[in-house]
Amino acid sequence: MSDVKVETKGSKRKTGLPFIDCDIHNEVPSPEALKPYLSQRWRQYMEMVGTRTYHGYAQHIPYPKGNAGGTRQDAWPPNGGIPGSDLNFMREQLLDPLNMEIGILNCLYRVAEQLNDEFSAALARAVNDWQMAEWLDKEPRLRASIVIPYENAEFAVEEIHRVASHPGFVQVLFLPRTREPLGRRKYWKIYEAAENHGLPIAIHFAGLGGNAITSHGFPSYYIEDHTTMAQAFQCQVISLVCEGVFERFPGLRVALLEGGFAWMPSLMWRLDQQWKRLHAEVPFLKRKPSEYIREHMRVTTQPMEEPPKLEYLMQAIEWLGSEEMLMFSTDYPHWDYDSPELAFPAKFPIELKKKIFYDNARAFYRFG
Amino acid sequence: MEKDLVVKTRVGVIDCDVHHAVPSMAALYPYLSERWRDYVKEHNIKSLEPNYYPRGNPLSARPGSEPSSGALPGSDLGLLQRQVLEPWNVQYAILHCLYGVQMIHNEDLAVQVAQAVNDWQMAEWLEKDSRLRASIVVPSQNPQRAAEEIHRVGKHPGFVSVLLLVRSEKPYGKRYYWPIYEAAEQYGLTVGIHAGGVTGYPIMPVGWPSHYIEDYVSHAQAFQSQLISLVSEGVFVKFPRLRVVMMESGFTWVPSLMWRFDKNWKGLRREIPWVDRLPSEVIRDHIRFTLQPLDEPPKPEILLKVIEQMGSDEMLLFSSDYPHWHYDEREDALPAGLPADLERKILFENARAVYRF
């Protein structure tokens, strides 16, 4: 968004609230950067076939974003790379001036969307090795999500076991546009592995999926694709709860990243209401759906909800029924970045802000 | 409570979502030409009853709404009069027939069945009780032919709406569907979008869920993306008099959707320059929601705040959604604790403004 330039290089935060950023994007600069981490077989495959996902473009994407890369215009690093690809520039623009204690990287490289499961698994290994070597081992303030080929649970579990012992990895990453709803048994082995390693799973906003973004096909515009993503998140919540995932994996924690949160109370009410009428269909659910959500799920704040009045924002948070559910995120370097200085209205209660900025994420990720 | 109800309903409520049921294909024989009667018989099409209200499912039928004959709930006019029209002192009840016309792959058959259903609605419902109104069932598979059906019956005073189902073959904002809106606007008909329909896309943007409860709950998300489509594509710029009523959609999600949509519009409006004001304003001017099923918050005062957040007290229309079972006692169809003027608006004033009564 070119007309809202919120944080320029070197600007200092005014408040001293400790601060955990639950959503930063480290970008693979180009497929070339992954080649050192791919075996000969998959380097060859990448050169011969390359990436094949759910759409038909070689260079383009079906819903072109509002600007190049969908990033902040000031986030292009001086080395000529793409936003989010240069650690030094990220330090200079984000970590240092914001005085950030911990930042969690979510690498959105298209791994699980690959149509070839084995290539998908090879890419996941490469991306995670790249994350360890180029980010985690170089910058102690950073943590990262394990990228997995989640459409093939067997391969995904292998990858979790391979890298979970690295202290920099703090969760397992999904994108919301899965082939099947995430509550389905197809994915349960992944939850089992995550639970065994004490890792939460995260679901992060991202376009492109094998299924249309609506129950009625593909819309025309990026603004629709972007706005409708909240409905994809809502459906994942419905599925995870109603399929009994949290009964089967009582230790599983789920973070919803960049999906919004103001819709959550309404969804809780609707689920609870229908559960009253239809619980006989899902007898394995022992509690109201909203209770599973409050206990197991967390949501990040960016892009911050902006109702016309502050009191509406406070109501939406109150209706979550928990002050522990919200965790702050900037979404650096994307266009709809939230600044920790400006994302919250001036009159936002300071105690709650402390929880959102720090305490909730620290408890959820079990940071010391 | 009974006295209270009498006071509330003295003027007579307008029930904007009531379902009558086609008992069987045979009931439509009198309204089908010989060619299509033969077709239906030869191909052994006995019923187009949709599966989104399974008969054994408690949500599908209120206790007592099944006729003693064992016929489908909603198929008996007398029972519907006794269970809906009389107790609520209904001025008007708007019938929406959910027979599976929109799911037929054979477009010609869909056109014929839609015509037959509309003729059946006129003969067996609208002309038998002056309190009844109905929506026109259209073959939405082919919007041009859907518009023709609107032209065929749109002047009948009993029809006040055109029925679409929320799960369509494309998002409803697309120009593909505009002939339907053009015809609806011409006859002063609202467009009613109701839960239901199966066109091949999963109900969830993330694939097919396992359970009925997931399917039912996630209809709210289907409505949300239809609403986003209608506004983004500029339907209400092209058809400024058009009103859309979302039925059995829930509505407590509306404020959060408005906030998200407005915020995205501020950042991305250059992509849809014909949307020249906040999406929330367009929604408030053109879109209405029926009351049931009410995704009821844990406290009544929260619901009042949700309605305040919607930014308009003109958006909600009373509905019983008969014979679907959402509330236990009749009084519970209307949320408790509403201020009297809001109650009046929900019970009949808002509907009067939207439909041509």
Side-chain angles (χ1 to χ4, degrees), chain A residues 1 3 64-66 176-182 184 211-224 226-228 230-232 234-236 238-239 242-243 259-263 266-267 269-271 273-275 277-279 281-282 284 303-309 311-313 315-316 318-319 335-336 338, chain B residues 57-59 166-172 174-175 199 201-214 216-222 224-226 228-229 232-233 248-250 252-253 256-257 259-261 263-269 271-272 274 293-298 302 305-306 308-309 325-328:
Chain A
M1 226 160 59
D3 54 343
K65 299 183 182 194
R177 306 281 303 283
T178 48
R179 285 186 206 161
E180 292 183 31
L182 281 175
R184 286 180 57 88
N211 297 299
I213 182 72
T214 81
S215 72
H216 34 269
F218 292 87
S220 305
Y221 308 108
Y222 174 59
I223 188 173
E224 296 179 81
H226 194 283
T227 311
T228 303
Q231 284 75 57
Q234 290 165 46
C235 288
Q236 297 290 24
I238 294 167
S239 173
C242 292
E243 297 268 6
F261 63 85
W263 46 261
S266 160
L267 182 63
W269 304 334
R270 186 171 173 88
L271 275 166
Q273 181 90 1
Q274 296 311 327
W275 176 74
R277 188 69 80 212
L278 300 169
H279 60 84
E281 190 196 16
V282 283
F284 42 84
M304 192 65 188
E305 308 286 358
E306 289 178 29
K309 293 182 183 172
E311 65 179 283
Y312 295 170
L313 178 66
Q315 286 163 357
E318 183 193 332
W319 298 341
W335 68 273
D336 41 359
D338 270 350
Chain B
N57 188 316
L59 188 144
V166 72
R167 295 176 66 185
S168 52
E169 290 170 276
K170 294 169 186 291
Y172 278 132
K174 290 225 173 213
R175 284 164 185 76
T199 57
Y201 290 109
I203 176 79
M204 292 183 168
V206 299
W208 298 93
S210 308
H211 301 101
Y212 179 83
I213 185 174
E214 298 174 77
Y216 190 81
V217 170
S218 62
H219 265 76
Q221 285 69 44
Q224 289 167 46
S225 42
Q226 290 287 19
I228 292 165
S229 171
S232 298
E233 298 267 4
E248 207 171 336
S249 55
T252 58
W253 47 262
S256 68
L257 180 71
W259 306 340
R260 171 73 32 192
F261 202 175
K263 178 165 174 159
N264 271 348
W265 178 81
K266 287 176 194 167
L268 299 167
R269 63 184 184 271
E271 193 188 20
I272 49 170
W274 48 88
L294 183 59
D295 302 324
E296 201 159 4
I302 295 181
K305 288 178 182 164
V306 170
E308 188 199 328
Q309 289 180 355
W325 188 21
H326 301 299
Y327 49 87
D328 293 328

Side-chain angles (χ1 to χ4, degrees), chain A residues 33 118 128 131 153 172 210 264:
Chain A
E118 292 187 41
N128 290 327
Q131 294 201 94
V172 174
M264 187 65 100

Side-chain angles (χ1 to χ4, degrees), chain A residues 13-202:
Chain A
R13 283 182 66 215
K14 292 181 213 84
T15 69
L17 288 181
F19 164 49
I20 295 169
D21 184 348
C22 293
D23 191 23
I24 303 172
H25 299 293
N26 53 335
E27 294 285 335
V28 175
S30 76
E32 286 302 309
L34 293 180
K35 282 193 178 165
Y37 305 99
L38 286 169
S39 66
Q40 176 64 18
R41 186 254 188 280
W42 293 112
R43 274 201 302 275
Q44 266 176 0
Y45 181 92
M46 197 181 234
E47 279 158 17
M48 180 186 162
V49 182
T51 176
R52 286 176 64 245
T53 65
Y54 304 115
H55 66 87
Y57 292 110
Q59 304 287 338
H60 182 61
I61 50 171
Y63 292 100
K65 299 183 182 194
N67 66 11
T71 65
R72 273 170 55 169
Q73 294 192 343
D74 63 349
W76 293 83
N79 69 5
I82 59 174
S85 66
D86 180 346
L87 174 58
N88 280 330
F89 190 61
M90 185 185 284
R91 284 180 179 131
E92 202 180 313
Q93 192 169 41
L94 184 76
L95 305 181
D96 296 343
L98 265 53
N99 192 22
M100 189 185 296
E101 191 165 309
I102 294 174
I104 302 174
L105 299 171
N106 294 301
C107 179
L108 302 180
Y109 198 75
R110 297 319 163 100
V111 166
E113 290 167 14
Q114 297 297 328
L115 302 182
N116 178 335
D117 279 3
E118 292 187 41
F119 182 49
S120 176
L123 280 179
R125 288 192 295 272
V127 169
N128 290 327
D129 287 346
W130 170 82
Q131 294 201 94
M132 289 188 276
E134 314 266 343
W135 298 84
L136 297 177
D137 293 346
K138 288 184 177 170
E139 174 50 67
R141 286 171 292 186
L142 292 177
R143 304 288 185 279
S145 296
I146 302 175
V147 168
I148 56 166
Y150 48 75
E151 299 298 354
N152 183 313
E154 183 190 338
F155 292 165
V157 167
E158 280 173 19
E159 183 59 8
I160 294 171
H161 289 323
R162 190 179 76 87
V163 298
S165 60
H166 191 292
F169 285 121
V170 295
Q171 66 191 356
V172 174
L173 185 64
F174 289 79
L175 305 182
R177 306 281 303 283
T178 48
R179 285 186 206 161
E180 292 183 31
L182 281 175
R184 286 180 57 88
R185 278 167 179 70
K186 165 182 166 172
Y187 302 103
W188 283 20
K189 289 238 174 306
I190 302 175
Y191 307 145
E192 187 178 27
E195 194 186 38
N196 286 342
H197 288 284
L199 294 169
I201 67 161

Side-chain angles (χ1 to χ4, degrees), chain A residues 281-336:
Chain A
E281 190 196 16
V282 283
F284 42 84
L285 296 186
K286 306 295 184 212
R287 302 151 64 192
K288 284 197 287 190
S290 60
E291 293 179 22
Y292 293 108
I293 293 172
R294 271 189 218 102
E295 181 179 324
H296 292 270
M297 293 188 165
R298 298 292 177 267
V299 277
T300 57
T301 50
Q302 180 281 338
M304 192 65 188
E305 308 286 358
E306 289 178 29
K309 293 182 183 172
L310 171 63
E311 65 179 283
Y312 295 170
L313 178 66
M314 299 317 297
Q315 286 163 357
I317 293 173
E318 183 193 332
W319 298 341
L320 286 169
S322 161
E323 292 196 345
E324 271 92 62
M325 286 184 74
L326 293 177
M327 307 191 296
F328 185 73
S329 56
T330 63
D331 193 32
Y332 178 89
H334 291 162
W335 68 273
D336 41 359

